[in-house]
Amino acid sequence: MRKASKMQLNAINHVKGPARVIAGPGSGKTFTIVQRIINLIVNHHVNPDLILTITFTKAAALEMQSRYLKESKDNPIISTKKEAVHFGTFHGICYTILKESGLFSKFTLVKETDKRKIIETILKNKGVTGAEEYDISSGVLDMISRKKNFCEISQLPPGLSGEVFEEICLDYDDMMNQQKFLDFDDMILLCLRQLQNHGKLREKWQHRFTHIQVDEFQDINEVQYQVVKILAAGYGNLFVVGDDDQSIYGFRGSAPGIMQKFSKDFENVKELFLTENYRSGSEIVHFADRVIISNKNRFLKSPVPMKKGGKVNLCFLTTRQEEERRILKDIKMLSIEQQKNSALIVRTNAEAYRYLELLKHDGINVHEQVKQKEDRFQSFVASDFQAFLRFCREGNRRSDFLMIMNKPNLFLSRQSLTREVITENDILEYYRNNREMCQKVKLLFHHFAVASTLSPFLAVRYFRKVMGYDEYLVQKSIPENRESFLGIAERLTDDLKQMKTGETTAEFFNRMQNSHENEKLSLTEGISVITMHGAKGLEFDCVFLPDLNEGVIPGKNSKTEEEVEEERRLLYVAITRAQNLLYLYYTNERNRKITRFLRGITAHQC
């Protein structure tokens, strides 16, 4: 067992009352939390069953539990205990509370497909145009989620007024309740309401745990915070650990302000800091501090690098093509083993996919994890492929044409589709006075004619590469931390090689989904290509950060001071993933400027 530092010991030895621990990157917060649990049990005789540690993901909870079991397995006091410490996520804890309340014992977690069917039904009932389209249903579901998490809704999906949106929210909750469904947002919000409105339930859970810990506290949103406050009210022993400089989930309702108001909501809060950085070399630590120090909405802290060295390279290239060649060259300077412990970190999933393909094309091994096939067979990409194949091969039905006619957007109107079977002549008649649209329609149906002569595999490749579906995917708004849509499309295309002669589209997709339910994850080793959001919590020997230009970070849509500060925190998170080598790249192609976050900060020019 490694020896704790003085800062870590101050946190480990905190036993009673509320405490807020500001833990910077690489400061050993997981080690500190685990050692505090052991200290509570061994030296202060706290029953393990009365200790709860909350994290934000199941993987993080399992990792924390694993670390605790490893650190405590040889302890004679803990090994004799029959009770176990509780580790869980916010959703897991809230789901347990709802189930044990008895009010929701017959409810089940809703599947994504069922959730979409419900919202599409509601939108159709409201007469919303394109209710069955993935983009529209996704936009409405996202707004419902933001509303339930008390997030600001700056812009409603096109065609929806505030009044209609409120009606949709009520209908959605009503239909979910009728079907006995719960989704993730329901779990926490309903749990909060039950705890607020039912005194016996509230009292029971306020006395269930004597000591509560919350990891990654900077990621908490207002609903989660209210639940934690209620649970901790019984004994007041709430220990929260986080770093406001790594608060990067504003779209989920998290904000540094919640962490800052902790001391106002609880009396006699112990303020603790973990500012020693055991991860990165001193040059990287000081560089990261010079980046984040410009943010106004933060706790002032002075990072202490515990490792010497580290190197920051700032690379200016004229064009993006030159930038790409330089990145490939720099990566190849590393050994194969070094590449396995390196990462290329980008702003969006679309950029991650672009660089992934660039690296593979140049013969550089990349770390990839392929998800189970049934996940992709339930995706909207699979639905689009099915609609395309059915339209080309199994009758020109209106419902199939509607799903694909504007992917990419040709600005075809639904009003042009006057029959259930779609023909080129009918649409040309509608646009008879619009020469440009007639040319688009003729080309589109030429493409359909060509695709209908090809095998399913080649037809879908034609749809993607020639007709422009891949372009539509790249331009599409992609939620963070989701698998690249282009990656899903590539694997689905490859799957179509297995389609049998005479097999209908529906039969094939059903067969593939059912036959791969137990398919394991396949892994390849090499450099990791991830987004800035996806990099949080990870560390690498060498980190490459391309495209550090205005318009990329901060993004074009970052207008307010709060949005810009979150973008700066996002860059800070990416920088602090590096242990020894950090490469930063920017260009002036089309008069682009280096990101404002790096201006005036010196680094080694490469």
Side-chain angles (χ1 to χ4, degrees):
M1 185 185 299
R2 84 172 193 238
K3 188 176 180 181
S5 70
K6 184 177 180 181
M7 283 185 177
Q8 292 169 339
L9 280 174
N10 288 337
I12 291 168
N13 290 326
H14 178 81
V15 177
K16 291 186 178 181
R20 178 178 59 197
V21 183
I22 308 299
S27 60
K29 66 180 181 63
T30 302
F31 168 80
T32 302
I33 292 172
V34 167
Q35 292 304 315
R36 180 174 184 263
I37 295 172
I38 294 172
N39 180 50
L40 289 174
I41 298 170
V42 175
N43 298 321
H44 299 278
H45 314 295
V46 177
N47 187 330
D49 186 51
L50 301 178
I51 301 173
L52 170 65
T53 298
I54 304 174
T55 65
F56 280 82
T57 67
K58 189 174 182 180
L62 292 173
E63 169 66 17
M64 188 81 73
Q65 184 180 43
S66 175
R67 288 279 295 272
Y68 164 71
L69 293 173
K70 182 179 179 181
E71 294 280 349
S72 63
K73 66 178 182 179
D74 296 326
N75 189 291
I77 295 177
I78 295 179
S79 61
T80 60
K81 301 283 186 183
K82 295 181 180 179
E83 302 86 357
V85 176
H86 297 270
F87 297 88
T89 64
F90 274 103
H91 292 98
I93 298 302
C94 289
Y95 188 59
T96 299
I97 293 173
L98 289 174
K99 283 287 189 180
E100 291 193 9
S101 72
L103 298 171
F104 297 89
S105 58
K106 295 182 180 180
F107 281 65
T108 58
L109 293 178
V110 66
K111 296 179 180 178
E112 182 68 19
T113 50
D114 290 328
K115 187 160 66 171
R116 290 199 173 277
K117 288 178 183 177
I118 288 173
I119 201 64
E120 286 175 10
T121 300
I122 293 170
L123 293 176
K124 288 177 182 177
N125 292 343
K126 296 293 180 184
V128 176
T129 301
E132 71 278 6
E133 294 181 12
Y134 187 90
D135 288 355
I136 293 176
S137 61
S138 294
V140 175
L141 285 171
D142 180 60
M143 291 302 102
I144 292 175
S145 177
R146 292 181 67 83
K147 176 181 169 66
K148 289 185 176 184
N149 285 289
F150 297 170
C151 299
E152 181 182 350
I153 301 175
S154 56
Q155 186 175 359
L156 291 171
L160 288 186
S161 65
E163 183 179 352
V164 172
F165 176 67
E166 291 299 325
E167 292 174 359
I168 290 172
C169 291
L170 292 173
D171 290 348
Y172 177 76
D173 286 342
D174 186 52
M175 289 187 72
M176 290 285 284
N177 189 55
Q178 289 179 34
Q179 298 294 324
K180 304 296 181 186
F181 283 149
L182 288 174
D183 67 17
F184 269 23
D185 297 315
D186 289 330
M187 278 192 282
I188 297 179
L189 187 58
L190 287 173
C191 178
L192 174 60
R193 289 173 179 168
Q194 296 305 311
L195 291 172
Q196 289 174 332
N197 299 330
H198 297 275
K200 289 185 178 180
L201 180 70
R202 181 172 63 251
E203 186 176 352
K204 171 189 173 181
W205 283 97
Q206 284 179 337
H207 290 87
R208 175 63 184 84
F209 302 106
T210 60
H211 291 77
I212 298 175
Q213 302 181 126
V214 182
D215 187 23
E216 302 286 7
F217 190 67
Q218 76 279 348
D219 294 337
I220 202 167
N221 64 30
E222 188 62 35
V223 183
Q224 294 163 338
Y225 182 50
Q226 294 302 324
V227 170
V228 167
K229 284 173 63 177
I230 291 174
L231 295 178
Y235 295 94
N237 299 323
L238 179 59
F239 184 88
V240 302
V241 184
D243 180 9
D244 58 320
D245 288 335
Q246 297 186 66
S247 178
I248 58 173
Y249 295 115
F251 59 89
R252 293 198 313 224
S254 65
I258 296 177
M259 193 167 191
Q260 291 165 2
K261 72 178 183 179
F262 182 82
S263 57
K264 298 178 182 178
D265 292 342
F266 292 87
E267 295 182 357
N268 301 317
V269 173
K270 186 74 172 290
E271 302 282 1
L272 298 165
F273 284 85
L274 297 178
T275 56
E276 296 161 333
N277 189 315
Y278 296 88
R279 174 189 299 156
S280 305
S282 58
E283 185 177 334
I284 296 172
V285 173
H286 293 315
F287 183 86
D289 187 51
R290 290 196 296 273
V291 170
I292 199 64
I293 202 168
S294 296
N295 271 10
K296 298 176 182 178
N297 188 19
R298 64 188 294 263
F299 292 105
L300 293 178
K301 54 187 83 73
S302 299
V304 182
M306 304 303 287
K307 287 170 56 178
K308 293 182 180 179
K311 188 174 182 180
V312 181
N313 300 289
L314 183 60
C315 308
F316 165 74
L317 291 309
T318 304
T319 67
R320 292 197 73 180
Q321 191 174 27
E322 290 180 6
E323 180 184 51
E324 290 170 359
R325 287 199 297 265
R326 180 56 189 264
I327 291 171
L328 294 172
K329 178 183 175 182
D330 290 339
I331 292 174
K332 287 181 175 179
M333 293 290 290
L334 304 176
S335 69
I336 298 298
E337 287 304 311
Q338 286 176 313
Q339 289 178 21
K340 291 178 183 178
N341 192 29
S342 299
L344 193 153
I345 304 177
V346 295
R347 181 64 185 85
T348 67
N349 270 310
E351 285 295 284
Y353 178 79
R354 189 174 72 83
Y355 277 104
L356 192 70
E357 292 303 302
L358 179 69
L359 294 173
K360 289 194 290 187
H361 184 266
D362 207 59
I364 296 173
N365 292 329
V366 296
H367 175 78
E368 285 190 281
Q369 178 170 297
V370 181
K371 292 188 176 181
Q372 292 180 339
K373 285 195 175 181
E374 66 269 18
D375 288 342
R376 64 177 176 270
F377 279 96
Q378 293 176 357
S379 70
F380 79 93
V381 180
S383 297
D384 288 347
F385 285 1
Q386 289 182 73
F388 174 73
L389 289 171
R390 284 195 303 264
F391 188 80
C392 291
R393 300 161 61 87
E394 301 169 23
N396 299 10
R397 289 191 292 271
R398 183 177 186 271
S399 58
D400 292 327
F401 189 76
L402 277 168
M403 292 184 66
I404 58 174
M405 67 180 188
N406 284 314
K407 297 179 180 180
N409 200 349
L410 301 177
F411 300 98
L412 288 170
S413 169
R414 296 167 65 93
Q415 280 66 45
S416 68
L417 313 180
T418 57
R419 304 171 191 255
E420 284 305 310
V421 176
I422 303 302
T423 68
E424 179 180 356
N425 287 336
D426 285 343
I427 302 179
L428 287 174
E429 174 62 22
Y430 180 84
Y431 288 111
R432 61 186 180 276
N433 297 319
N434 187 329
R435 183 178 180 182
E436 182 182 355
M437 286 303 296
C438 284
Q439 289 176 338
K440 287 183 179 181
V441 171
K442 288 178 181 179
L443 179 59
L444 178 63
F445 276 85
H446 167 73
H447 287 322
F448 285 140
V450 172
S452 67
T453 67
L454 303 174
S455 68
F457 163 72
L458 291 176
V460 166
R461 280 194 64 82
Y462 187 85
F463 179 46
R464 292 174 54 202
K465 306 299 183 181
V466 178
M467 296 177 65
Y469 186 76
D470 276 7
E471 178 186 342
Y472 157 75
L473 290 180
V474 170
Q475 294 174 349
K476 186 176 177 60
S477 175
I478 303 175
E480 294 297 340
N481 297 326
R482 288 190 180 178
E483 184 178 19
S484 166
F485 294 156
L486 282 165
I488 294 175
E490 191 64 37
R491 285 187 286 280
L492 283 168
T493 305
D494 193 57
D495 289 326
L496 282 161
K497 294 177 182 178
Q498 303 177 50
M499 191 167 177
K500 299 175 182 178
T501 303
E503 191 172 30
T504 68
T505 303
E507 289 170 345
F508 168 74
F509 276 84
N510 287 334
R511 175 169 66 83
M512 293 299 289
Q513 183 173 335
N514 293 333
S515 65
H516 291 89
E517 287 184 353
N518 298 317
E519 185 186 62
K520 295 181 179 179
L521 298 175
S522 60
L523 299 173
T524 60
E525 289 189 325
I527 187 170
S528 297
V529 182
I530 48 181
T531 65
M532 291 180 177
H533 281 96
K536 189 167 177 290
L538 304 177
E539 57 184 40
F540 302 92
D541 182 67
C542 181
V543 166
F544 301 86
L545 297 178
D547 306 323
L548 297 181
N549 286 90
E550 287 287 311
V552 178
I553 185 161
K556 295 177 182 177
N557 295 326
S558 299
K559 306 295 185 184
T560 67
E561 183 177 349
E562 290 80 7
E563 290 169 338
V564 171
E565 289 208 349
E566 179 161 323
E567 290 281 295
R568 185 181 279 109
R569 292 194 294 270
L570 197 55
L571 178 58
Y572 175 76
V573 166
I575 289 170
T576 55
R577 302 309 95 195
Q579 296 170 315
N580 295 306
L581 282 173
L582 175 65
Y583 286 88
L584 311 168
Y585 306 86
Y586 70 101
T587 74
N588 70 347
E589 186 172 78
R590 297 180 182 176
N591 297 316
R592 297 198 312 167
K593 297 179 180 179
I594 187 173
T595 172
R596 71 191 75 173
F597 302 150
L598 296 181
R599 291 175 200 163
I601 302 176
T602 57
H604 175 73
Q605 299 292 320
C606 62

